[in-house]
Amino acid sequence: MQSAITLPFSQTSLTRPNPVLGSTASAFSTPRSLRFCGLRREAFGSSPSSHLSLRSDRVRTPSIRRFQVSSAASSSNGAPPKSFDYDLIIIGAGVGGHGAALHAVEKGLKTAIIEGDVVGGTCVNRGCVPSKALLAVSGRMRELQNEHHMKSFGLQVSAAGYDRQGVADHANNLATKIRNNLTNSMKALGVDILTGFGSVLGPQKVKYGKDNIITAKNIIIATGSVPFVPKGIEVDGKTVITSDHALKLESVPDWIAIVGSGYIGLEFSDVYTALGSEVTFIEALDQLMPGFDPEISKLAQRVLINPRQIDYHTGVFASKITPAKDGKPVMIELIDAKTKEHKDTLEVDAALIATGRAPFTNGLGLENVNVVTQRGFIPVDERMRVIDGNGKLVPNLYCIGDANGKLMLAHAASAQGISVVEQVTGRDHVLNHLSIPAACFTHPEISMVGLTEPQAREKGEKEGFKVSVAKTSFKANTKALAENEGEGIAKMIYRPDNGEILGVHIFGLHAADLIHEASNAIALGTRIQDIKLAVHAHPTLSEVLDELFKAAKVEEDHATTRTGDAKIKKLNTNEDDPRRGRRDDEKQQPSVSKDLVVRSTSLSSFVEDIYARVLSLVSRVFV
């Protein structure tokens, strides 16, 4: 991902009549494509200064044109090509579809989004949002129930209790609020929300509802996923449930088995144990939390599993689960994951199936464009373009989010959708999935971005580079100690030869919030030798990352920092600069008049120089 953006200029030089001077003045010359970062809109329009009033329509600029397009999109959702009903149709109004729709309107595209269920999809209605409401309750309950923790603050709290229906209402109300916010945001921007099940009829053609057919220049499939239930498991929605049912919190069983110890299973174990349940994990692999960095998993098990009312069985499958009925409990048959021999039978009050999610791609009409799913996932390339059964790209058809299986996270779906919109509006963009963070909202939280240590070492062996690891503890952080939450570590995997960050993993207080400094560094290609000089407020949890970056050791040949001052100094000398396409041994061009030298390296400063010159000329005329 690039931090710079590209603005195409319509002309290499601009000539504007100057009513003050009564002549034609030649404006500044600019390249047809100019890269810059963080440039304010005022740099292209009139100056905010009140010293001289200039008409805003005197100079037509790229920023003004973009603003006019956005304004039109806000009121009428843009103007589609005559041959299509829409510029963009999105099938699925979850977080991914919503993010794509908002960005499309911002880009001036006439956009429609089709939803066969409710706006918000899994994340808002049956996933991220309501689960965080339950976890907020479990966190407070866990703190209030910890007598030693409260006494350390000098606090005395009587026995904590909860109202199950009140907790359930909190989760439901939050989901409703966020769903309404998403709906209103799209309506306000002019996105057409079409109700009904959507499917692809053919190239650039979509059907929704019963007989409604519409066309679009580009189509995005964003249909998400549903809970995956292995064979042999009978779900009744009462005693054998998925995460969809669990989020309603219709009951809090005394003993619940959770099949799967990934994100979903861990978060629900946090909720159920805080509310008084005993939990048994059933994991097919040989260790709990198999998707996490092994060192983080080991520490998390010591904190999140061992001290709580949780036991576990690893290396086994739940081959058969029968719901409770006729006074009998839930029956779970366990077999060895390798030999498939019977190992045990469990009798519990309830079972939660947390074995992951499956793509929701049935009935989408993919056969009409010769697309064959792979284990239910729609095959796409790095730009989310759909690939057909012959390995060829399907023109104008994209798939984002859980349906393509690249990274089954809500924010990844949104990022993919935005990336697609960038492409269809003329700017090539490839999303770096290794820069997308993930989090598990247990107490304490777990977060990660990039590669685990085993993955990084395997990559290093294949590509021939060394891998180093830096660590820091929350026990050394003032803010964490003030909260009596010193349990936790941060870990960074990196290349010592060039300072590249390969992965960061955090277990501790507010780990989900802390990870973004690392994920942004990976996304922007920031090296350790640069970011370790960044300043963090004290005392804050962010200093955990500060200490982590400072603990890394980069080899001397690559330890020189690339500060802004160094860059500017280099630009103003005769040193080798690949951006100028000039070598030290090349003969320098004759220097131009000092009065015409543009000393600023940013376009905004350049415009300010021109503006100052205009003021100077005007003052001379009137003086």
Side-chain angles (χ1 to χ4, degrees):
M1 184 181 293
Q2 296 177 341
S3 59
I5 61 175
T6 302
L7 289 184
F9 283 74
S10 58
Q11 298 182 20
T12 57
S13 64
L14 301 175
T15 302
R16 296 288 177 261
N18 192 326
V20 176
L21 301 178
S23 63
T24 299
S26 179
F28 56 88
S29 297
T30 59
R32 187 171 295 272
S33 181
L34 181 65
R35 287 191 178 275
F36 57 94
C37 180
L39 186 63
R40 294 182 57 174
R41 179 168 291 149
E42 289 87 345
F44 292 101
S46 59
S47 170
S49 173
S50 60
H51 293 294
L52 180 65
S53 177
L54 297 177
R55 290 173 50 136
S56 61
D57 60 351
R58 189 162 295 159
V59 179
R60 293 184 63 199
T61 64
S63 63
I64 292 176
R65 288 199 295 272
R66 171 184 275 185
F67 180 77
Q68 290 171 341
V69 168
S70 297
S71 298
S74 298
S75 58
S76 62
N77 201 8
K82 294 181 180 179
S83 56
F84 295 105
D85 297 314
Y86 293 95
D87 292 322
L88 179 65
I89 292 176
I90 304 166
I91 304 176
V95 171
H98 174 266
L102 266 57
H103 196 56
V105 171
E106 180 186 344
K107 291 289 188 177
L109 302 183
K110 181 173 175 63
T111 305
I113 193 164
I114 300 171
E115 179 54 59
D117 188 13
V118 289
V119 170
T122 295
C123 174
V124 173
N125 300 286
R126 300 173 299 277
C128 323
V129 172
S131 67
K132 299 309 155 296
L134 296 182
L135 284 160
V137 173
S138 70
R140 284 164 174 77
M141 278 295 295
R142 198 171 297 284
E143 187 172 22
L144 292 172
Q145 291 171 343
N146 190 336
E147 185 177 352
H148 175 75
H149 179 74
M150 299 306 291
K151 280 186 176 180
S152 67
F153 289 114
L155 299 177
Q156 297 179 354
V157 179
S158 58
Y162 68 91
D163 171 40
R164 182 199 59 79
Q165 188 58 53
V167 175
D169 290 344
H170 172 55
N172 182 65
N173 292 339
L174 179 63
T176 300
K177 182 176 182 178
I178 302 301
R179 179 171 62 249
N180 291 338
N181 288 346
L182 263 62
T183 303
N184 293 336
S185 66
M186 290 191 290
K187 287 182 178 179
L189 290 174
V191 177
D192 290 343
I193 303 176
L194 309 177
T195 303
F197 187 87
S199 61
V200 178
L201 278 184
Q204 300 174 297
K205 187 179 295 185
V206 171
K207 176 184 177 182
Y208 74 95
K210 291 185 178 180
D211 301 307
N212 303 301
I213 298 175
I214 51 178
T215 59
K217 188 174 181 180
N218 291 286
I219 300 169
I220 296 178
I221 297 173
T223 49
S225 62
V226 295
F228 171 69
V229 179
K231 294 181 179 179
I233 298 177
E234 182 184 346
V235 175
D236 66 349
K238 298 295 183 182
T239 58
V240 180
I241 58 178
T242 67
S243 57
D244 287 0
H245 308 107
L247 289 168
K248 298 177 183 178
L249 202 69
E250 294 181 346
S251 66
V252 179
D254 292 334
W255 184 10
I256 184 169
I258 299 179
V259 184
S261 62
Y263 295 90
I264 300 172
L266 275 178
E267 289 187 352
F268 274 107
S269 74
D270 195 287
V271 172
Y272 280 121
T273 52
L275 299 182
S277 300
E278 294 184 21
V279 170
T280 296
F281 272 120
I282 299 172
E283 174 57 56
L285 298 180
D286 292 332
Q287 66 176 43
L288 294 175
M289 297 172 275
F292 299 87
D293 182 87
E295 187 172 6
I296 297 295
S297 295
K298 184 177 180 180
L299 177 59
Q301 181 172 334
R302 181 170 64 82
V303 177
L304 301 177
I305 305 295
N306 296 346
R308 300 178 181 178
Q309 293 185 312
I310 300 175
D311 66 350
Y312 52 88
H313 299 265
T314 57
V316 295
F317 285 127
S319 61
K320 184 178 181 180
I321 299 181
T322 306
K325 55 183 176 182
D326 301 329
K328 296 181 180 179
V330 174
M331 304 292 291
I332 303 176
E333 300 291 333
L334 301 180
I335 61 172
D336 188 278
K338 297 177 181 178
T339 66
K340 303 301 185 291
E341 296 178 356
H342 179 269
K343 292 200 67 175
D344 202 354
T345 300
L346 301 181
E347 296 182 359
V348 296
D349 298 310
L352 168 63
I353 313 305
T355 48
R357 300 187 64 83
F360 183 70
T361 54
N362 290 332
L364 291 180
L366 298 174
E367 65 279 1
N368 296 328
V369 286
N370 192 33
V371 172
V372 180
T373 61
Q374 300 172 357
R375 296 181 297 110
F377 295 104
I378 297 175
V380 297
D381 69 354
E382 62 181 359
R383 290 173 173 82
M384 309 303 128
R385 297 177 293 190
V386 174
I387 301 172
D388 68 15
N390 298 320
K392 298 180 179 180
L393 296 176
V394 180
N396 309 103
L397 183 63
Y398 301 82
C399 178
I400 65 173
D402 289 5
N404 69 32
K406 279 187 172 290
L407 190 58
M408 300 179 78
L409 297 169
H411 49 281
S414 182
Q416 291 172 1
I418 291 171
S419 178
V420 168
V421 171
E422 287 288 295
Q423 295 169 53
V424 301
T425 53
R427 182 189 180 210
D428 188 34
H429 185 272
V430 176
L431 182 64
N432 177 12
H433 285 80
L434 285 177
S435 71
I436 299 176
C440 184
F441 295 85
T442 49
H443 297 89
E445 296 173 343
I446 309 172
S447 63
M448 66 219 71
V449 65
L451 304 175
T452 64
E453 184 177 345
Q455 290 170 341
R457 294 198 181 281
E458 181 181 356
K459 181 180 176 67
E461 289 179 4
K462 289 181 179 179
E463 299 182 12
F465 61 81
K466 294 181 181 179
V467 172
S468 293
V469 175
K471 302 175 189 176
T472 188
S473 172
F474 277 69
K475 292 179 181 178
N477 181 265
T478 303
K479 185 64 161 54
L481 293 177
E483 300 279 350
N484 278 335
E485 296 284 354
E487 195 73 71
I489 65 168
K491 173 181 179 180
M492 178 171 63
I493 304 103
Y494 66 98
R495 289 182 58 166
D497 60 337
N498 62 11
E500 179 185 357
I501 301 173
L502 301 175
V504 174
H505 304 263
I506 308 173
F507 173 65
L509 183 65
H510 295 301
D513 299 310
L514 295 175
I515 195 64
H516 298 95
E517 184 174 9
S519 66
N520 289 337
I522 293 175
L524 298 174
T526 306
R527 301 302 170 107
I528 294 170
Q529 54 267 39
D530 295 323
I531 199 171
K532 73 193 311 180
L533 297 181
V535 180
H536 298 71
H538 175 77
T540 62
L541 292 173
S542 69
E543 291 175 294
V544 172
L545 272 295
D546 184 31
E547 293 300 323
L548 183 65
F549 297 137
K550 286 179 168 59
K553 305 297 181 184
V554 180
E555 294 175 5
E556 289 297 325
D557 291 343
H558 298 273
T560 303
T561 59
R562 302 170 295 174
T563 63
D565 291 341
K567 291 180 182 178
I568 293 174
K569 181 179 179 181
K570 189 173 183 180
L571 285 171
N572 290 327
T573 63
N574 293 331
E575 295 177 8
D576 180 24
D577 187 350
R579 288 168 292 185
R580 290 185 173 187
R582 187 180 67 205
R583 299 190 305 273
D584 283 78
D585 57 350
E586 287 183 346
K587 184 177 181 180
Q588 302 302 311
Q589 297 296 325
S591 60
V592 298
S593 172
K594 292 182 178 180
D595 292 337
L596 298 179
V597 173
V598 180
R599 292 175 297 275
S600 173
T601 59
S602 69
L603 184 57
S604 58
S605 296
F606 179 64
V607 174
E608 289 174 3
D609 286 348
I610 296 297
Y611 180 67
R613 294 170 190 271
V614 173
L615 284 177
S616 177
L617 288 172
V618 171
S619 63
R620 291 176 187 175
V621 170
F622 286 100
V623 171

